[in-house]
């Protein structure tokens, strides 16, 4: 028995046996092998574009990703912003992903471990949410028709998913994961459009459009952001961010918004002010995640590398959330800033 336990312990330590809460992804690349393959790292199931790690392929194009996850979660694998694959990863499972990168830089993904649910998800719209197409004059001019189209698309997706879920053989966790992902995906697209419309209206009328702000608020309110499944949707940070600015325009005149932002910018506290808005406007359950994502995103920007404000923001964050699992995602950024101020 002692010999068996010793062998088992060695296997755990050396990786030949993985605990049930690990996800293993083996990848191979054909064609032009990049220096890095990037992937979103779920933290307690939370997956978003600000928590990213990378792995280095070997000379043959092989790479390996290992993730500790206790819930079904998304893992987005990518070589460039518009070249990605979204894997629905279950704890304890192993996946094999193949990438083919053509000479012109286009990347094609093949999942050799696909499931009926994954095949279904692969067929859904997954445009990059950072796409600026909703800032076009045509989109802004036709925003009502586009909103109707997006609402219709979401309703059809959710209805089809409900009808197919029995055939997909999915768990409750997977069902909720996909439901919230699609709701947040479309709500973010609609918020992006309405934000652009509001800015366009401001540029012409020097005030916000009450109609647009009302529609924007209705879009955000339809998503139950306090659910833990909401935080597992890839674009939830963006939706939370949009909801802050929607509520800012709901509760302040344009002149007040401009005055406040100018004041804090002049005082070197513009990021502190944004975080205070998050604490004021966002559900308490989302604040730790949002603020960590905001710090991670902003503290790595070159323009912010000399902003001592982030040191104070970091100190306050660790006081507010002493056991936060997200700290490691921006700790190096803060240390770099400390060296340069």
């Amino acid at each position: 028995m002692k010999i068996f336990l010793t062998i088992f312990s060695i296997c755990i330590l050396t990786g030949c046996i993985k605990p049930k809460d690990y996800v293993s992804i083996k990848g191979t690349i054909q064609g032009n092998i990049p220096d890095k393959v990037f992937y979103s790292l779920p933290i307690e199931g939370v997956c978003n574009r600000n928590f990213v790690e990378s792995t280095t392929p070997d000379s043959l194009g092989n790479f390996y990703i290992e993730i500790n996850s206790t819930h079904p979660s998304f893992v987005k694998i990518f070589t460039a912003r518009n070249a990605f694959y979204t894997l629905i990863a279950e704890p304890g499972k192993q996946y094999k992903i193949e990438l083919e990168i053509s000479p012109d830089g286009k990347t094609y993904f093949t999942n050799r471990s696909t499931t009926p649910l994954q095949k279904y998800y692969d067929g859904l719209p997954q445009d990059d949410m950072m796409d600026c197409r909703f800032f076009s004059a045509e989109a802004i001019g036709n925003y009502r028709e586009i909103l109707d189209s997006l609402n219709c698309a979401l309703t059809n997706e959710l209805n089809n998913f409900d009808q197919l879920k029995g055939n997909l053989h999915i768990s409750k966790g997977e069902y909720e994961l996909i439901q919230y992902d699609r709701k947040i995906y479309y709500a973010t697209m609609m918020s992006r459009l309405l934000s652009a419309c509001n800015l366009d209206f401001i540029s012409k009328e020097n005030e916000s459009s009450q109609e647009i702000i009302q529609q924007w608020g209705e879009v955000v309110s339809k998503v139950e952001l306090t659910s833990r499944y909401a935080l597992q949707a890839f674009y939830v940070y963006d939706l939370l961010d949009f909801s802050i600015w929607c509520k800012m325009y709901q509760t302040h005149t344009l002149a007040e918004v401009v005055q406040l932002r100018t004041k804090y910018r002049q005082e070197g506290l513009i990021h502190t002010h944004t975080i205070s808005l998050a604490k004021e406007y966002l559900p308490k359950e989302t604040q730790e995640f949002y603020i960590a994502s905001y710090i991670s995103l902003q503290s790595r920007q070159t323009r912010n590398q000399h902003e001592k404000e982030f040191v104070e923001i970091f100190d306050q964050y660790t006081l507010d959330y002493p056991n936060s699992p997200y700290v490691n995602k921006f700790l190096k950024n803060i240390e770099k800033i400390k060296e340069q101020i």
Side-chain angles (χ1 to χ4, degrees):
M1 178 61 73
K2 289 183 179 180
I3 294 175
F4 172 78
L5 290 174
T6 300
I7 295 173
F8 182 80
S9 298
I10 292 172
C11 284
I12 286 288
L13 292 172
T14 58
C16 59
I17 296 177
K18 292 295 179 188
K20 64 180 181 179
D21 56 353
Y22 273 77
V23 174
S24 299
I25 303 169
K26 293 182 179 180
T28 58
I29 303 172
Q30 295 181 353
N32 296 329
I33 301 173
D35 293 333
K36 299 283 186 182
V37 173
F38 300 90
Y39 60 97
S40 59
L41 179 68
I43 299 176
E44 297 185 356
V46 173
C47 166
N48 87 94
R49 63 184 174 87
N50 297 310
F51 300 156
V52 172
E53 295 289 344
S54 65
T55 184
T56 303
D58 65 21
S59 59
L60 299 177
N62 300 307
F63 64 90
Y64 183 70
I65 298 170
E66 186 175 272
I67 294 167
N68 188 346
S69 180
T70 57
H71 307 286
S73 56
F74 293 110
V75 178
K76 193 173 285 278
I77 303 167
F78 55 99
T79 55
R81 201 188 80 184
N82 293 312
F84 62 84
Y85 182 77
T86 306
L87 177 69
I88 303 170
E90 286 199 74
K93 297 291 182 67
Q94 296 182 347
Y95 299 91
K96 185 176 181 181
I97 305 295
E98 296 178 0
L99 287 71
E100 182 178 347
I101 304 178
S102 62
D104 61 359
K106 292 184 178 179
T107 305
Y108 303 91
F109 292 85
T110 302
N111 183 351
R112 296 298 183 188
S113 315
T114 195
T115 64
L117 177 61
Q118 184 73 60
K119 287 182 180 178
Y120 168 78
Y121 187 80
D122 289 348
L124 299 178
Q126 297 184 44
D127 299 287
D128 186 345
M129 204 58 66
M130 299 307 291
D131 188 342
C132 292
R133 62 193 175 97
F134 285 151
F135 285 99
S136 70
E138 181 181 0
I140 291 171
N142 298 311
Y143 82 91
R144 293 181 182 86
E145 291 82 357
I146 295 175
L147 285 178
D148 288 342
S149 176
L150 291 173
N151 272 310
C152 183
L154 173 60
T155 299
N156 288 337
E157 276 194 26
L158 296 179
N159 288 340
N160 290 337
F161 186 48
D162 276 340
Q163 292 174 8
L164 291 170
K165 65 180 181 181
N167 296 329
L168 296 175
H169 306 293
I170 60 177
S171 65
K172 182 181 184 299
E174 289 173 317
Y175 175 78
E176 296 292 347
L177 183 69
I178 302 300
Q179 281 264 328
Y180 275 93
D181 173 76
R182 304 317 294 169
K183 290 177 181 178
I184 287 171
Y185 175 81
Y186 280 99
T188 306
M189 293 185 79
M190 288 185 269
S191 291
R192 190 168 182 80
L193 172 59
L194 289 165
S195 173
C197 290
N198 184 50
L199 292 175
D200 180 72
F201 191 91
I202 287 172
S203 70
K204 295 174 181 176
E205 304 294 334
N206 199 31
E207 64 179 347
S208 295
S209 165
Q210 292 305 306
E211 177 191 353
I212 291 171
I213 298 301
Q214 180 181 345
Q215 289 180 303
W216 193 358
E218 290 172 357
V219 165
V220 173
S221 66
K222 289 179 181 179
V223 181
E224 187 186 348
L225 291 170
T226 56
S227 168
R228 74 174 179 86
Y229 293 105
L231 292 185
Q232 292 180 252
F234 191 74
Y235 293 108
V236 69
Y237 168 77
D238 303 273
L239 183 59
L240 290 169
D241 196 55
F242 279 127
S243 72
I244 289 173
W245 297 110
C246 175
K247 290 176 181 177
M248 186 70 164
Y249 285 110
Q250 285 176 328
T251 55
H252 294 80
T253 65
L254 175 62
E256 289 172 338
V257 172
V258 173
Q259 183 181 22
L260 278 169
R261 297 302 282 176
T262 300
K263 171 182 179 292
Y264 284 104
R265 188 174 287 107
Q266 290 174 343
E267 293 176 354
L269 297 172
I270 193 68
H271 301 289
T272 303
H273 182 233
T274 301
I275 290 171
S276 72
L277 294 177
K279 292 180 178 180
E280 180 179 357
Y281 293 136
L282 294 182
K284 190 175 181 61
E285 296 89 340
T286 68
Q287 291 175 15
E288 178 183 355
F289 161 77
Y290 173 84
I291 296 169
S293 299
Y294 182 87
I295 298 172
S296 177
L297 175 64
Q298 296 296 331
S299 64
R300 70 170 178 261
Q301 304 297 321
T302 302
R303 65 178 183 271
N304 292 328
Q305 289 301 304
H306 296 279
E307 297 291 338
K308 64 179 182 180
E309 177 188 11
F310 279 101
V311 176
E312 297 174 358
I313 287 172
F314 173 77
D315 290 342
Q316 186 61 52
Y317 184 86
T318 55
L319 284 174
D320 291 342
Y321 312 105
N323 300 312
S324 177
Y326 308 124
V327 170
N328 287 335
K329 300 314 299 177
F330 52 83
L331 180 58
K332 289 182 179 179
N333 299 343
I334 302 301
E335 290 175 345
K336 184 176 180 181
I337 290 173
K338 286 180 179 180
E339 292 173 358
Q340 299 187 58
I341 59 175

